[in-house]
Amino acid sequence: MTSFAIVGSGWRAEYFRRLATALGDPVCAGVVSRGPKDLPVPVFTSLDECLARAKPDFVVTATPWQVTPGLVVELVERGVPVLAETPPAPDLDGLRRLWAAVGASGLVQVAEQYTRMPAHAARLALVRSGTIGDPTRADVSSTHQYHAVSLIRAYLGAGRGPVTVRATRSTAPLLDPIDRSGWIAEPRVAPATTTIATLSFEGGGLGVYDFTDNQWHNQLLTRRLLVRGTLGEVRDQEVVHLADDRTITRTPLVRRQTGYDLDLDGYDTDHISHGPTVLYRNPFQGQRWNDEEIAIATLLRDTARWVEDAGEPPYPLADGVHDHRVALAVEEAADHDRTTTVTEEPWS
């Protein structure tokens, strides 16, 4: 059985601890917190104490951006594998220093879970099957910065090469009735900023980034995704492609969700299919988890397998560094309404 410890005790750390409790393997061996916490796992007030007593196989760093790089370096110096919450460093200088210190270690993964969400995992499986041909464009309007860059790169099959970024911002009034904490008692129309960017990848492939303030939680804003290929495209939950000679079809991606009407199996995601082909099957049926929980649990399981030398690295530091560098370039280009090019490789 694989064990891990969590440094941090906030909102994100709680996800990892709670999901591990349900998984059973990997098991959460403890939490490092600055102060006492009433948790069902051992709580340590120092990293030294945690490593000595819990002896975790890897450590999840769910810490503030400014804290994470130094903590990652400290863990790597002790030979401990790390799963670092996103982003691995707050700015470009921090990313460079972090890579210089631990990039060659092979011990650091980044907790980028979006490609493991059921809907994205299903669409990625369809794109990689060749149904829409070779992907040439990916539009993401649902999440922000490095998460969106990760999705765009995954859908396009783009590596970590140069990216030309063009970006702009605009502000418009918008009602924001709900945030992370729940419904707002007296929501008001207030200015909301939208950032739109195009990402042109070396060797071809266009990404379109479109994000509005609080788009994660504001249910007045739809989430939109499009992947265009040489033989058709995926738009949200619909596939358009050339199925045969002079035959263009529009077919849905269908999620089988249990628990509706007289289905007494309980509310859960079963699978997502395209016609007779199952593109994604929930590996945690019976847990009644939402998509974010499924994705994080999958990431935890994949990290445990990597630590055991039984699976591929879930999301290497080089990818996390590149995603955040491109996201920073988007912000810089939008701040100045101009074009910028990311050419420096993370190991330079």
Side-chain angles (χ1 to χ4, degrees), residues 80-162:
V80 180
V82 183
L83 179 64
E85 253 298 349
T86 54
D91 53 32
L92 185 55
D93 286 342
L95 291 171
R96 288 171 175 155
R97 288 194 298 269
L98 179 63
W99 183 261
V102 302
S105 71
L107 289 176
V108 184
Q109 304 294 313
V110 174
E112 178 53 66
Q113 81 278 13
Y114 271 74
T115 58
R116 290 168 168 83
M117 287 184 169
H120 287 307
R123 286 186 287 245
L124 281 166
L126 182 129
V127 170
R128 290 165 180 169
S129 74
T131 299
I132 63 168
D134 297 326
T136 59
R137 172 174 167 173
D139 299 17
V140 173
S141 182
S142 62
T143 188
H144 75 309
Q145 297 181 346
Y146 34 86
H147 294 312
V149 173
S150 172
L151 286 172
I152 288 169
R153 288 203 307 117
Y155 280 117
L156 292 175
R160 298 189 293 265

Side-chain angles (χ1 to χ4, degrees), residues 256-270 282 285-289:
R256 182 174 185 271
Q257 193 82 35
T258 63
Y260 286 109
D261 196 22
L262 294 179
D263 185 338
L264 304 183
D265 288 341
Y267 189 75
D268 212 352
T269 292
D270 182 7
N282 181 6
Q285 290 188 36
Q287 297 290 352
R288 322 293 184 221
W289 283 337

Side-chain angles (χ1 to χ4, degrees), residues 6-341:
I6 305 168
V7 181
S9 56
W11 178 77
R12 203 62 179 174
E14 174 63 15
Y15 259 92
F16 287 102
R17 186 200 60 76
R18 178 172 52 82
L19 295 173
T21 299
L23 284 173
D25 188 10
V27 62
C28 181
V31 169
V32 179
S33 174
R34 287 179 296 181
K37 293 284 182 178
D38 183 15
L39 298 175
V41 298
V43 177
F44 306 98
T45 56
S46 73
L47 181 61
D48 287 341
E49 182 187 16
C50 176
L51 295 180
R53 294 179 57 186
K55 294 180 170 56
D57 295 301
F58 67 95
V59 170
V60 175
T61 59
T63 49
W65 289 13
Q66 294 79 5
V67 174
T68 298
L71 180 59
V72 169
V73 172
E74 183 178 356
L75 286 163
V76 169
E77 287 176 346
R78 297 171 184 231
V80 180
V82 183
L83 179 64
E85 253 298 349
T86 54
D91 53 32
L92 185 55
D93 286 342
L95 291 171
R96 288 171 175 155
R97 288 194 298 269
L98 179 63
W99 183 261
V102 302
S105 71
L107 289 176
V108 184
Q109 304 294 313
V110 174
E112 178 53 66
Q113 81 278 13
Y114 271 74
T115 58
R116 290 168 168 83
M117 287 184 169
H120 287 307
R123 286 186 287 245
L124 281 166
L126 182 129
V127 170
R128 290 165 180 169
S129 74
T131 299
I132 63 168
D134 297 326
T136 59
R137 172 174 167 173
D139 299 17
V140 173
S141 182
S142 62
T143 188
H144 75 309
Q145 297 181 346
Y146 34 86
H147 294 312
V149 173
S150 172
L151 286 172
I152 288 169
R153 288 203 307 117
Y155 280 117
L156 292 175
R160 298 189 293 265
V163 185
T164 300
V165 176
R166 300 171 179 85
T168 188
R169 285 201 181 100
S170 62
T171 302
L174 177 68
L175 184 69
D176 195 358
I178 189 170
D179 60 19
R180 181 187 291 182
S181 61
W183 288 96
I184 297 172
E186 297 181 1
R188 295 179 299 170
V189 172
T193 299
T194 295
T195 302
I196 297 177
T198 60
L199 314 178
S200 299
F201 292 86
E202 183 183 48
L206 174 69
V208 178
Y209 170 90
D210 182 349
F211 182 77
T212 299
D213 289 346
N214 197 37
Q215 191 166 347
W216 318 277
H217 303 287
N218 190 342
Q219 298 301 308
L220 296 176
L221 300 173
T222 59
R223 287 91 175 112
R224 303 185 307 281
L225 182 131
L226 179 134
V227 184
R228 180 168 297 158
T230 53
L231 302 178
E233 62 184 31
V234 183
R235 185 191 64 186
D236 298 329
Q237 311 303 327
E238 184 181 53
V239 181
V240 180
H241 80 296
L242 186 68
D244 205 346
D245 185 38
R246 299 189 180 186
T247 307
I248 296 175
T249 62
R250 291 180 178 268
T251 47
L253 297 177
V254 178
R255 181 188 293 234
R256 182 174 185 271
Q257 193 82 35
T258 63
Y260 286 109
D261 196 22
L262 294 179
D263 185 338
L264 304 183
D265 288 341
Y267 189 75
D268 212 352
T269 292
D270 182 7
H271 64 257
I272 300 176
S273 61
H274 179 236
T277 302
V278 174
L279 298 170
Y280 175 84
R281 195 178 297 277
N282 181 6
F284 308 111
Q285 290 188 36
Q287 297 290 352
R288 322 293 184 221
W289 283 337
N290 62 35
D291 284 8
E292 177 87 345
E293 292 167 325
I294 291 171
I296 295 174
T298 304
L299 179 64
L300 266 178
R301 182 196 61 187
D302 292 347
T303 303
R305 290 177 177 171
W306 164 67
V307 168
E308 296 165 355
D309 291 326
E312 295 296 316
Y315 209 84
L317 178 62
D319 288 298
V321 168
H322 185 69
D323 292 343
H324 194 37
R325 287 175 62 251
V326 174
L328 290 170
V330 168
E331 297 301 309
E332 178 189 0
D335 285 342
H336 302 285
D337 197 16
R338 69 183 187 191
T339 299
T340 186
T341 302

